[in-house]
Amino acid sequence: MKILWIKVGGLWPPNTGGRLRSLHILAELSRHHRVTVLTTHTRPEEAAALRAWLPQGAEVISVPYVSPKWRSLRFPWLLVRSWFSRLPVDVYKSRVPALGRAAERLFAAGQADVCVADFLCALPNVPHACPVPVVYFSHNVEHMIWKRLCANAASFWQRLPLALEWRKMRRYEARASREARLTIAVSETDRAALAALAPEAEIRAVATGVDISYFAPRPPALQQPERMVFVGSMDWQPNEDAMLYFIDAILPLIRRSVPAAALSVVGRNPSERLCRAAERAGVDVTGTVDDVRDFMAEAAVYVVPLRIGGGTRLKIFEALAMGKAVVSTTVGAEGLPLEDGRHFLQADAPRAFADAVLALLRDPARRESIGSAGRSLVEERYSWPQVAAEFESFIKPCAGPEEKALRSAGTIAAQAPG
C-alpha cells in the first residue's frame, strides 16, 4: 500500500499529543507499507530530524511554513479575511500553496493509493479532485474546542468572534466527514459526535496509545509527597486555561489543608500571563525540558484540570504508563476508557477537584493502587503497535482493488473540502 500522509504544522519535535500520535502510527505503518510524508517545518533541522526518526524507507517532503499564532500581529488580519470565506480561521490560515502543489505532483506520478489528511487543517491542501481515497484523521472534534473557548471567554467581545468561528468550524467539520472516504476519530466519544454531524459518513474510532517502554514507572522514592505536576504544550490555549484555572481556583483550596503543596507546570512556550500568575502563587513553570519523565516521577499526583478541549489526552495515558495517580476533569478524561475511582479520580468543581487531590496526597497506598491499575490498563490494550494495527485495518480497504474499480467507474466522489 502506498500512503501519502499530509500534515500542516510539522511533526517534529514530538512535543504535542497530536504529533506523538501521528509519529507512532506513521512509524508502524512505514515498517509494512510505502509511506510518503508531506508536511511543513519552521526550521530545516526539524525535517532532517523527522527523516532520521522514521524507519528507513519512509520518504519525507517538507516545505517551510510558520503558522500565525493567536496573539501574533498577523492573526487578526487573517481572522477578518476568513470572515469572507466559508473556511474557519484555523483552517483558512493552514492553506500552504507549496504543499498543495507537491501533493498534485505526487498524485500525478502515481505515488499514492490512499491519502491521509492528518487533522482538519490538512484538508485544504488536498487537491479538490483527488484521484485516490481521502482518509480524514480527526484528532479532535474541532468545533467543540471552539465552542468551549466561547463558553469560557471573559467578555462579550471575545465571545462574539468565537461564536462565529465554532459554528463555521462545525459546518466545515461536517462537510469534511461527509466528503472523505473514511474519517478516523480517536475515541468512541468523538466518533459519535462526528456521526451526529454527518450521519451518512463512514466514521471509525481508534484508541489513543502510549509508548509503554519509554513511559515506565520510576522508583517511589523519587516522589515528593506534596508535589503535583501538569504536562502539556503551554502555547495551546486549553492547557493555559487549565493552569490559570487551577492556580486561581483550586490550588488555594489545596493549600488550606496542605500549605506546602507544590505544583510543576511542564511544557513549551508558557505565556507571560501564565508566568506572572505562577510567580504570584509560587508555582514552578519550566518551559521546554529535555525529559518530562523526570518531573512526572517527582510528583505524587498528576493533575489535568482541563475545561476546554477535544479528542483524547495522551498526557493521561503517559501518566498512567508511569504508574501515576491522576485527577482529571470530565473534559480532561473525555473519550478515554477509564473507570473513575479505579484508574483515576474525576472531579470538575474546584472544591471537588481539590478534595480529590488532597485524598491522594494523604494516602500513598491509594496512589499506588490507582497508579498500578492505570499501568496495567495501558500495558494490556494501548501500546502503539496495537493502535497502529487497528488504524491500518481501517485504511487498507480504501486502497484495495474494489475501491479502485469503483473510482475508475466514477461511482465514488473524489474531492476534499477546501
Side-chain angles (χ1 to χ4, degrees), residues 5 10 27 63 88 112 145 162 167 169 225 233 243 257 268 386:
W5 190 287
V63 301
I145 298 176
L162 289 169
R167 288 174 171 85
M169 186 68 81
S233 302
M243 284 297 92
S257 298
R268 70 180 189 187
Q386 291 170 299

Side-chain angles (χ1 to χ4, degrees), residues 59-81:
E59 183 182 3
V60 175
I61 301 171
S62 188
V63 301
Y65 171 71
V66 179
S67 177
K69 300 296 183 184
W70 269 64
R71 296 183 177 90
S72 71
L73 295 176
R74 288 176 59 198
F75 192 86
W77 172 236
L78 282 168
L79 178 62
V80 171
R81 289 177 63 188

Side-chain angles (χ1 to χ4, degrees), residues 294-309:
D294 295 336
F295 294 87
M296 292 166 68
E298 291 178 350
V301 178
Y302 191 104
V303 296
V304 188
L306 283 167
R307 301 188 295 175
I308 302 164

Side-chain angles (χ1 to χ4, degrees), residues 57-340:
E59 183 182 3
V60 175
I61 301 171
S62 188
V63 301
Y65 171 71
V66 179
S67 177
K69 300 296 183 184
W70 269 64
R71 296 183 177 90
S72 71
L73 295 176
R74 288 176 59 198
F75 192 86
W77 172 236
L78 282 168
L79 178 62
V80 171
R81 289 177 63 188
S82 75
W83 289 344
F84 298 95
S85 163
R86 61 182 173 181
L87 300 181
V89 66
D90 217 37
V91 177
Y92 184 86
K93 72 183 180 66
S94 298
R95 299 171 303 163
V96 185
L99 212 59
R101 290 192 295 269
E104 289 176 350
R105 289 194 297 270
L106 289 165
F107 289 132
Q111 296 299 304
D113 298 320
V114 64
C115 174
V116 177
D118 190 6
F119 280 89
L120 194 66
C121 60
L123 282 165
N125 301 287
V126 178
H128 185 66
C130 186
V132 302
V134 175
V135 174
Y136 163 38
F137 187 15
S138 169
H139 296 246
N140 304 298
V141 180
E142 299 287 350
H143 82 271
M144 287 304 303
I145 298 176
W146 288 83
K147 188 175 183 179
R148 287 166 176 166
L149 283 170
C150 180
N152 286 281
S155 70
F156 169 80
W157 297 110
Q158 290 175 321
R159 287 193 297 274
L160 187 62
L162 289 169
L164 172 64
E165 286 304 311
W166 81 254
R167 288 174 171 85
K168 287 182 72 175
M169 186 68 81
R170 182 177 59 184
R171 287 194 294 270
Y172 187 80
E173 207 161 18
R175 182 178 169 217
S177 297
R178 284 195 305 269
E179 296 185 357
R181 171 62 182 81
L182 171 69
T183 295
I184 297 180
V186 297
S187 72
E188 282 297 330
T189 301
D190 280 16
R191 189 206 61 76
L194 291 171
L197 290 181
E200 67 275 39
E202 183 178 355
I203 306 172
R204 302 293 187 91
V206 296
T208 285
V210 66
D211 187 338
I212 59 175
S213 59
Y214 184 81
F215 289 98
R218 299 274 184 94
L222 295 175
Q223 279 190 17
Q224 299 175 18
E226 295 169 334
R227 181 165 292 277
M228 299 160 286
V229 68
F230 175 86
V231 178
S233 302
M234 297 317 301
D235 53 2
W236 193 48
Q237 189 168 358
N239 285 343
E240 181 185 67
D241 174 82
M243 284 297 92
L244 291 169
Y245 166 61
F246 188 87
I247 290 169
D248 178 59
I250 300 172
L251 186 59
L253 300 177
I254 295 171
R255 284 180 169 164
R256 287 180 191 173
S257 298
V258 182
L263 172 66
S264 296
V265 179
V266 182
R268 70 180 189 187
N269 300 334
S271 68
E272 290 185 12
R273 180 187 179 194
L274 175 59
C275 289
R276 287 194 301 268
E279 185 177 5
R280 289 193 299 268
V283 167
D284 300 323
V285 176
T286 69
T288 302
V289 299
D290 292 333
D291 194 337
V292 298
R293 295 173 300 174
D294 295 336
F295 294 87
M296 292 166 68
E298 291 178 350
V301 178
Y302 191 104
V303 296
V304 188
L306 283 167
R307 301 188 295 175
I308 302 164
T312 55
R313 253 57 63 189
L314 270 73
K315 59 173 67 72
I316 291 185
F317 266 21
E318 291 168 355
L320 297 181
M322 289 191 68
K324 307 307 295 184
V326 175
V327 179
S328 174
T329 57
T330 302
V331 169
E334 192 172 51
L336 295 176
L338 306 179
E339 183 181 333
D340 180 19

Side-chain angles (χ1 to χ4, degrees), residues 382-396:
Y382 299 107
S383 67
W384 282 120
Q386 291 170 299
V387 171
E390 188 176 21
F391 190 98
E392 178 189 25
S393 73
F394 290 154
I395 69 171
K396 208 167 186 177

